Amino acid sequence: MSVSSLPFIDLNAQRARIGTAIDAGLLRVAAHGQYILGPEVKALEADLNAFCGAKHCISVANGTEALAMPLMAKGLKPGDAVFCPSFTFAATAEVVAWLGAIPVFVDVHPDTFNINVDSLASGIREAKAKGLHPKAIIAVDLFGQPADYDAIEALAVEHGLWVMSDAAQSFGATYRTRKVGTIGLVTATSFFPSKPLGCYGDGGAIFTDDDEMAATLRSLRVHGQGSDKYDNVRIGLNARLDTMQAAVLIEKLKILADEIDARERVAQRYSSMLHDVVPVPHLLPDISSAWAQYTVLVPAAKRALIIARLKEQGVPTMVYYPKPLHRQTAYRDFPVVGNGLPVSERLADEVLSLPMHPYLDDATQDRIVSTFRQALKDL
Ligand SMILES: *Cc1c(COP(=O)(O)O)cnc(C)c1O
């Protein structure tokens, strides 16, 4: 008997809800023809600011450029050190290396998977002792949960560093009284299709309350332009968000809060049915997640078998991330805090993400949970 395969993220279900409105938006752009920085781009930036409460929003071509541009704006130089977790997507550290600066890899907490502030404090001390120039911290809101910014910002103030939030997975989440987009000097997010707020291709945005940072980012986005198009006051790049993508995002943003509520319900339900057999996601008090992923831990030795068993039963899973960055060929020569990053390494062997999206109904979720529980028991 063959079983039907479930989607890991069901974008078709979302299309069934708002596809007509999205398509109408795309056709409007096709008709007015302002494909580059058209009116939808400005409208989206205003909508995003209204949603999260940031003063400035600069939409960009993707989340990686959203991370790189604030580093460029701050004039990051070779020899400067930027602290980031090792258990993250490569883009977090990649942008630091682009500028010839040094990503210093910090360990994460075993329960939240986010940057460990004790490890961060050690990293700052060690970097100074080595003669590096600590400049910034990039905290990652992994799987949608904001990092512990109160503690991170206290450390940043103590050492004169600035903070960027890699919110590629967390737009729509909150940290205590603050919404993601208003935390740190600057926040970078991604609209890659599988993120909680995704477009129909690549996209991203940068948020800041700092007027000078915002002006510099707007200039960088268009080749470092000055007072007019053919005045170049700095080395920039081409990092504009397409008007077509802005049109898609305008419609999707209207239902984002509702979708995050739905994700929250799915996550709670998963946890209530799984907490007795595996470690389930742990949120800090007064923090909400955007639930980009729902990730549990399974015994390392059994993970491959569990994945295979679930796949046979039509249940897709993902491993985010199978290798921490300090173990990747491209990044292995950069400094790591202490004698290694044991938590990042263990998590890479144990994490398993289950299907997560706002349209996961109870019956489907029950099927995923019972298949998973059975696989755990059998293996
Ligand atoms: C997706 C992601 C990025 C990069 O975003 P792109 O839009 O794909 O460039 C950066 N950091 C993290 C943590 C991500 O998950």
Side-chain angles (χ1 to χ4, degrees):
M1 189 189 78
S2 75
V3 292
S4 65
S5 275
L6 299 171
F8 187 70
I9 293 178
D10 192 352
L11 291 171
N12 287 332
Q14 188 193 50
R15 271 198 68 76
R17 180 175 176 187
I18 57 166
T20 309
I22 290 174
D23 295 352
L26 288 169
L27 286 174
R28 272 196 302 277
V29 177
H32 71 50
Q34 295 178 59
Y35 305 133
I36 302 295
L37 296 181
E40 284 80 1
V41 173
K42 259 208 156 66
L44 172 70
E45 290 177 347
D47 291 352
L48 289 166
N49 280 335
F51 182 93
C52 72
K55 186 169 177 192
H56 302 286
C57 171
I58 298 91
S59 62
V60 295
N62 57 66
T64 305
E65 283 174 333
L67 286 165
M69 290 163 65
L71 301 177
M72 294 171 73
K74 293 292 279 182
L76 200 73
K77 288 190 297 295
D80 288 347
V82 177
F83 304 90
C84 61
S86 179
F87 192 58
T88 178
F89 182 62
T92 312
E94 181 178 42
V95 294
V96 176
W98 276 3
L99 301 177
I102 301 164
V104 177
F105 291 116
V106 174
D107 215 352
V108 295
H109 278 289
D111 47 359
T112 64
F113 314 151
N114 281 332
I115 199 164
N116 180 320
V117 177
D118 295 329
S119 177
L120 177 59
S122 306
I124 296 169
R125 264 198 312 277
E126 288 174 19
K128 284 182 174 167
K130 275 189 198 147
L132 303 179
H133 302 110
K135 286 287 154 61
I137 300 163
I138 306 179
V140 178
D141 302 345
L142 204 70
F143 305 147
Q145 176 176 197
D148 192 2
Y149 286 101
D150 286 345
I152 293 164
E153 287 174 336
L155 210 53
V157 168
E158 185 185 333
H159 293 280
L161 310 178
W162 59 276
V163 175
M164 173 153 65
S165 170
D166 179 346
Q169 303 180 11
S170 66
F171 191 72
T174 56
Y175 178 83
R176 313 230 152 108
T177 57
R178 294 186 277 173
K179 285 205 167 135
V180 165
T182 63
I183 301 170
L185 173 67
V186 60
T187 298
T189 196
S190 165
F191 303 131
F192 187 81
S194 62
K195 310 284 178 173
L197 178 61
C199 56
Y200 284 0
D202 280 306
I206 310 169
F207 298 92
T208 186
D209 282 1
D210 185 297
D211 296 343
E212 192 186 327
M213 169 65 85
T216 307
L217 292 171
R218 285 191 192 286
S219 163
L220 282 171
R221 181 170 69 176
V222 199
H223 307 288
Q225 85 176 15
S227 52
D228 71 61
K229 200 170 166 183
Y230 297 107
D231 177 34
N232 305 104
V233 296
R234 56 176 60 77
I235 310 287
L237 32 76
N238 171 4
R240 298 172 295 239
L241 179 74
D242 287 342
T243 310
M244 288 273 188
Q245 300 302 346
V248 172
L249 290 162
I250 285 171
E251 293 307 321
K252 289 208 186 191
L253 183 60
K254 290 178 186 167
I255 60 164
L256 180 65
D258 180 66
E259 288 192 333
I260 288 177
D261 287 348
R263 286 175 188 268
E264 174 69 30
R265 280 194 298 277
V266 170
Q268 297 283 350
R269 199 160 178 277
Y270 262 140
S271 291
S272 73
M273 294 189 288
L274 291 173
H275 71 95
D276 60 324
V277 286
V278 285
V280 295
H282 173 84
L283 263 57
L284 295 180
D286 304 322
I287 291 184
S288 73
S289 177
W291 293 110
Q293 302 297 336
Y294 183 89
T295 304
V296 297
L297 302 180
V298 297
K302 288 188 186 175
R303 186 171 67 183
L305 289 168
I306 293 169
I307 292 169
R309 177 67 63 84
L310 288 172
K311 190 171 175 217
E312 272 166 33
Q313 302 292 322
V315 176
T317 55
M318 299 292 277
V319 172
Y320 299 118
Y321 297 93
K323 231 191 230 187
L325 292 188
H326 71 285
R327 292 277 189 200
Q328 296 281 2
T329 307
Y331 297 96
R332 67 185 170 205
D333 294 330
F334 290 114
V336 300
V337 176
N339 299 317
L341 306 176
V343 179
S344 297
E345 285 176 21
R346 178 169 65 78
L347 292 177
D349 289 337
E350 295 183 356
V351 284
L352 187 65
S353 299
L354 301 179
M356 164 52 86
H357 60 83
Y359 305 97
L360 198 57
D361 60 47
D362 288 0
T364 307
Q365 193 175 26
D366 291 347
R367 173 179 155 193
I368 294 164
V369 167
S370 65
T371 311
F372 178 65
R373 288 185 69 105
Q374 193 60 47
L376 272 176
K377 201 156 79 187
D378 291 351
L379 297 166

